[in-house]
Amino acid sequence: MFPGGGQPDMQQLLQQAQKMQQDLMAAQEELARTQVKGSAGGGLVTATVSGAGELLALEISPEAVDPEDTETLGDLIVAAVRDANRAAAELASKAMGPLAQGLGGGGLGGLGLPGM
């Protein structure tokens, strides 16, 4: 448990929790600045999202636009955004995983820290 069987040093625990919260906030800010792309239809539609999952840009190749088949274009857009969000979630998992493990691995809510 604790060295010497005594009580934990509350000041030290508080400092550790504050450092973890600062690290978590820094990682979240970095994720928000990072951009990832996803695509569909062999690159006919490309979506760019932030690491936090915010849609930033959508590129549609002219070859993807068929006025007689807007349903397929809609499907390609949804697929590209999903692909980009999957990449953002993977990036977030890699960036936030070590921080969550430092909090006991059971989620971030236990210490009142903002979660994703």
Side-chain angles (χ1 to χ4, degrees):
M1 289 224 131
F2 298 105
Q7 294 294 321
D9 180 349
M10 294 307 288
Q11 183 65 26
Q12 184 179 9
L13 287 175
L14 181 59
Q15 288 173 348
Q16 288 174 344
Q18 288 174 338
K19 176 161 181 1
M20 282 190 272
Q21 186 174 18
Q22 290 170 349
D23 291 348
L24 179 64
M25 290 173 64
Q28 288 175 326
E29 289 172 10
E30 179 65 26
L31 280 172
R33 287 190 300 267
T34 303
Q35 295 183 6
V36 293
K37 290 189 177 201
S39 65
L44 290 176
V45 176
T46 302
T48 303
V49 299
S50 71
E54 179 184 0
L55 182 63
L56 302 173
L58 189 62
E59 299 169 32
I60 302 171
S61 172
E63 294 84 28
V65 181
D66 178 356
E68 300 296 318
D69 186 14
T70 57
E71 186 176 332
T72 297
L73 177 57
D75 290 343
L76 288 172
I77 291 169
V78 169
V81 172
R82 283 183 180 157
D83 187 45
N85 280 328
R86 178 207 47 79
E90 188 177 304
L91 179 68
S93 177
K94 287 179 183 175
M96 305 303 267
L99 294 173
Q101 289 173 358
L103 296 173
L108 304 177
L111 293 177
L113 299 178
M116 289 206 55

